[in-house]
Amino acid sequence: KDCIECSYTPEKGCSPEESGMFACCGDGSRCPVDSNQLPVKNYYLSYTMEYTTNASAVKPVRLYVLDGSNCQIEYNIQADEANPYQVTEHSWTSPASGEIAFTVGHVHNSGINISLLVNNEIKCTSIPTYGTEVGKAGNEKGYIVEFSSCSDGFSIKAGDTIGVKAVYYVGYDDQTGSG
């Protein structure tokens, strides 16, 4: 866990002061592995699609990604026992009008929630679910295994203020389950 979260460990070649920052992430934020090679595995994905040949029935969809740290790579929120609840947020002016069909947030370990706001009104709050079982794929103890999402649509107009607000627990007695 220390590896993927870019925490300081002596073998990483960074200083304790750089814990959580890019210098402690190693090679492309990947964890070192031993020389044991596992056999190649094949994975398959099964899905159902609906389609139409009526091109006039298709509406274009645009995907937007908003970042509460304003795209700061390897953004780090320092531990703070005196103020254990920390907020990171950013807002933008919408360049376009349209309908929002689906929203889901994303936080890292110790995240409590993340909200999408339109003109300072919360439209969706995503809450992470932390795994509870050691070694159980899909329910890995201490890791985020799922996020709630919102599929209630709403409208935005060009000029609206769109914001993202994430809340993290950064106290030493981790209450999120990410331990």
Side-chain angles (χ1 to χ4, degrees), residues 18 29 49 52 54 74 77 82 87 119 121 147 152 160 171:
E18 295 171 308
S29 298
M49 292 180 56
T52 181
N54 179 2
E74 303 300 338
I77 301 173
V87 173
N119 297 323
E121 178 186 340
F147 285 95
D152 297 334
D160 281 351

Side-chain angles (χ1 to χ4, degrees), residues 51-130:
Y51 65 93
T52 181
T53 57
N54 179 2
S56 65
V58 177
K59 288 184 176 182
V61 175
R62 291 183 179 86
L63 174 70
Y64 289 89
V65 177
L66 307 175
D67 184 344
S69 71
N70 195 24
C71 300
Q72 295 180 41
I73 303 299
E74 303 300 338
Y75 179 73
N76 188 41
I77 301 173
Q78 297 295 327
D80 185 348
E81 189 63 24
N83 299 294
Y85 295 96
Q86 296 293 316
V87 173
T88 181
E89 60 188 324
H90 195 75
S91 62
W92 304 263
T93 301
S94 176
S97 298
E99 297 294 318
I100 304 298
F102 177 82
T103 56
V104 64
H106 170 89
V107 293
H108 290 249
N109 282 357
S110 297
I112 295 172
N113 65 48
I114 186 166
S115 298
L116 174 70
L117 299 89
V118 177
N119 297 323
N120 293 317
E121 178 186 340
I122 294 175
K123 294 294 188 175
C124 177
T125 297
S126 291
I127 300 170
T129 298
Y130 287 88

Side-chain angles (χ1 to χ4, degrees), residues 4-81:
I4 63 168
E5 292 298 321
C6 304
S7 296
Y8 167 78
T9 58
E11 66 275 2
K12 287 188 176 177
C14 59
S15 69
E17 294 78 25
E18 295 171 308
S19 184
M21 298 179 186
F22 190 69
C24 284
C25 286
D27 183 17
S29 298
R30 294 185 184 95
C31 297
V33 296
D34 59 26
S35 61
N36 294 330
Q37 295 292 317
L38 297 174
V40 173
K41 292 183 180 181
N42 291 315
Y43 293 92
Y44 300 92
L45 179 65
S46 176
Y47 57 93
T48 303
M49 292 180 56
E50 291 184 30
Y51 65 93
T52 181
T53 57
N54 179 2
S56 65
V58 177
K59 288 184 176 182
V61 175
R62 291 183 179 86
L63 174 70
Y64 289 89
V65 177
L66 307 175
D67 184 344
S69 71
N70 195 24
C71 300
Q72 295 180 41
I73 303 299
E74 303 300 338
Y75 179 73
N76 188 41
I77 301 173
Q78 297 295 327
D80 185 348
E81 189 63 24

